[in-house]
Amino acid sequence: MQQVQLLFDNSPWLIIPSMLVGAAYAALLYLKNKGFRHQSWDKQINYLLTGLRFVLVSLLCLLLVGPFIKQIKNTLEEPIVVFAVDNSSSISAVQDSSALQTFKQSLESVSADLMDNDYTLEYRTFEGSQNLDSLNFRHNSSDLSELLSSISSEYEGRNLASVVLFSDGIYNEGVSPTYRPYSFRINTVGLGDTIPKQDINVRNLFYNKIAYQGNKFPLVAEIVNTGFEGETVNVSVKNRGNVISSQTLSFDQARDVSSIEFLLDASQEGMQRYEVEVQSLDGEFTTQNNTSQAYVEVIEGKENILLLAQAPHPDIKALKLAIEDNKNYELRSVILSVDEVSERELADIKYDLVIFHQLPGRNLDNALVRKYINEASASWFIVGNQTDLFSLSENNTILNIASVNNDVDEVKAVYNNGFTGFQIEGETQAIIEEFLPLSVPFGRVELKNNANVLLYQKVGSVETSKPLLVVGEVDERKSAVMLAEGLWQWRLQEYAKYENTQAFDALVSKLSQYLSAKEDKRRFRVYPEQDVFDDTEAVVFETEIYNEIYEEIYGFNIALTLTDESGETRKYSYITNESNTQYRISNLPEGIYQYRATAQIDGEQMVSNGEFTVRSLQIETLNLTANHQLLRDISANSGGVFFKQESLENMASQLQSQEARGKIYTSEAFLPIINLKWLFFVLLLLISTEWAIRKYMGSY
């Protein structure tokens, strides 16, 4: 329904002057010579032209008055009923195709009845809005809470009469749908079977995501048995199609949960898929849930750290405890005056970081130490009273130190807030600044090669600009120099005060991690956003391309090839730009993929490769026993009613008995007449007609 009113910005009395202007203009143009002797047309034509000009000029003047149209529009919205259908695969797992088809036909019949009674009917599933014909039961997870919440937000402010939830009451994602309040009435219809099925399934796998190559790692399978008391099954673990371990499992009760642990060898580097399979037994309701997958990344090994000391010292123990707290590090300590370790034995292992405690040393043949300094990937020097400061200055790249008469100073640590190499939390900084004073060489210290200070020296209450702990990098080799010994006191003091050593351990661990980390200097990098994706989500690749001075650049054509475990390849190509450096690939089947990306950059073929995993969610088959009590609770909490699947007609009658009225929405619109397109064509028609008549009659 629509109402239209003509209004004016100015007084409507101005219409009269507008028409007078139009009349005067037309009269002066066509009626000033009443004899028509000088004109080539007769009296009737002249009056017609006068009328056309009168209307044209009057309309133009009228537009100056500011007329506009007020539209009042009333819209009737019929009451809406939303059928929220649980389209998860747990429904199709317990009902065959003919039963599902019968259910859909029942829904169609109920829908027709409701629409005949002036209801608007809409369908919602876990995948959003759907019609009945496209409804299938293949969704691999159930989040009933999210389904109802999305309806609540989508229909806010609309004439929502009722929501009908068709479900088996099983949810395996999100929170329980009974926890949230809903602003609408929810009627529920129970699907599925509430009688437990005779079945065996692998409910959970527990394992570490990362294992070190050459080590053993545990994998624990949690297996649920329903109805197989006294039976024995074989449980096996496969890798790349081969059985690598198996055990037998006996079920002592009719319903129980058993755990079985495997100790597996991490023999092959890279992402590995381990498939746990339980032998199927006669009478099982389904065997789809008898297998489950575990994805473990086997990495080459831990970071190797060598702590090389001149003589026994309590600092060694303190450093060892702090570093070995990080399971990614393997620390070896060698005391030159005690341990009999051959040079060849040390050379057999490539160390990611070497810590030199009071080395190079006084009155010591430092040739061997210099050799380790030159070969080390990263170095950390801890200066003490036995350190040869002259040799230290010669063999490190970040500072020179000249002692005055071998004197020492007692200093505390002050954290440098401008340090950006890594972050230390504010609470940890405060604890570090509380630590006891340590002895540092008294003399002149000069930084070189843009070294960064992590800790400054504080003498008494005076904070100085002298460094206590310095880090730097030269030719892609990182170094650190701690100008004091006695670190063990810091650890002991922290434990005495706080009963933990978190601050000291964090300082040592983060410094070790920073020094041993290898910076990625590649100019072309393509990598997936995560290592493992679900088969329902898109695999997203991030792309980074840099020029010679490591500024990010764009616009290069990138060829991407994926190879699955069977050797099948998939090829893609894309171009990055400044606003989008990602590339998405959807619908990849389960498996481990190797990827290889290539790009031609500055005439050079660059390659980036790696691997990722797509895993399949099987949570829908783990529990097939319908939970109708949950549906009853949802209905009771919202004022709705629970129905069984066989009582759909009763549900339709119940909906129609609930009073639901249409809602009228009123909207107003103000439309200036000058913005009407048709008015332009009317004016154009008037002036064109007048011109055509004059031209036809021989005038201009």
Side-chain angles (χ1 to χ4, degrees), residues 8-52:
F8 297 89
D9 283 339
N10 300 299
S11 172
W13 290 104
L14 292 174
I15 296 175
I16 296 175
S18 299
M19 297 180 68
L20 290 175
V21 171
Y25 189 95
L28 289 174
L29 185 60
Y30 290 108
L31 302 178
K32 62 182 178 181
N33 298 312
K34 292 185 179 179
F36 305 105
R37 295 170 186 167
H38 64 291
Q39 294 174 335
S40 57
W41 53 75
D42 58 17
K43 187 176 180 181
Q44 287 73 21
I45 295 297
N46 202 57
Y47 285 145
L48 175 61
L49 292 173
T50 304
L52 290 172

Side-chain angles (χ1 to χ4, degrees), residues 523 546-553 602:
R523 290 176 52 200
Y546 298 93
N547 59 18
E548 294 286 352
I549 57 173
Y550 284 93
E551 294 173 332
E552 196 159 11
I553 51 179
D602 297 338

Side-chain angles (χ1 to χ4, degrees), residues 203-379:
R203 174 187 286 180
N204 281 316
L205 295 179
F206 302 98
Y207 55 94
N208 292 326
K209 304 296 183 188
I210 295 175
Y212 292 103
Q213 189 176 19
N215 290 354
K216 290 182 179 293
F217 66 95
L219 187 154
V220 178
E222 193 176 73
I223 297 168
V224 178
N225 148 57
T226 305
F228 288 101
E229 182 180 5
E231 297 285 350
T232 300
V233 294
N234 183 63
V235 184
S236 61
V237 181
K238 295 179 181 177
N239 179 233
R240 298 180 184 270
N242 300 317
V243 177
I244 58 173
S245 183
S246 64
Q247 297 184 38
T248 57
L249 177 64
S250 298
F251 300 124
D252 298 328
Q253 301 177 24
R255 296 187 67 178
D256 62 4
V257 180
S258 306
S259 293
I260 187 167
E261 180 174 344
F262 297 90
L263 198 60
L264 306 177
D265 289 318
S267 55
Q268 194 161 356
E269 185 183 357
M271 185 65 76
Q272 302 294 322
R273 178 170 63 170
Y274 297 92
E275 182 178 274
V276 177
E277 181 177 354
V278 182
Q279 172 194 355
S280 60
L281 295 177
D282 292 338
E284 270 194 83
F285 179 74
T286 179
T287 58
Q288 294 181 12
N289 51 18
N290 284 38
T291 61
S292 187
Q293 323 288 330
Y295 295 91
V296 178
E297 184 178 7
V298 178
I299 60 178
E300 186 178 1
K302 299 181 179 181
E303 298 274 317
N304 285 311
I305 297 177
L306 174 64
L307 200 166
L308 203 60
Q310 182 179 167
H313 195 285
D315 279 357
I316 298 172
K317 182 68 173 178
L319 291 170
K320 192 172 182 179
L321 289 172
I323 292 172
E324 290 184 338
D325 188 53
N326 188 329
K327 295 181 180 179
N328 292 325
Y329 292 129
E330 186 82 39
L331 177 70
R332 183 181 186 187
S333 59
V334 174
I335 301 173
L336 296 179
S337 61
V338 176
D339 300 325
E340 295 182 358
V341 181
S342 68
E343 181 179 347
R344 183 175 180 179
E345 186 179 350
L346 288 176
D348 286 342
I349 301 175
K350 180 175 176 56
Y351 292 100
D352 301 286
L353 170 65
V354 180
I355 302 173
F356 299 93
H357 190 268
Q358 302 202 51
L359 291 173
R362 295 179 184 172
N363 305 319
L364 196 70
D365 181 5
N366 290 312
L368 181 62
V369 175
R370 282 195 291 272
K371 181 176 184 299
Y372 289 132
I373 293 173
N374 294 330
E375 294 179 354
S377 301
S379 307

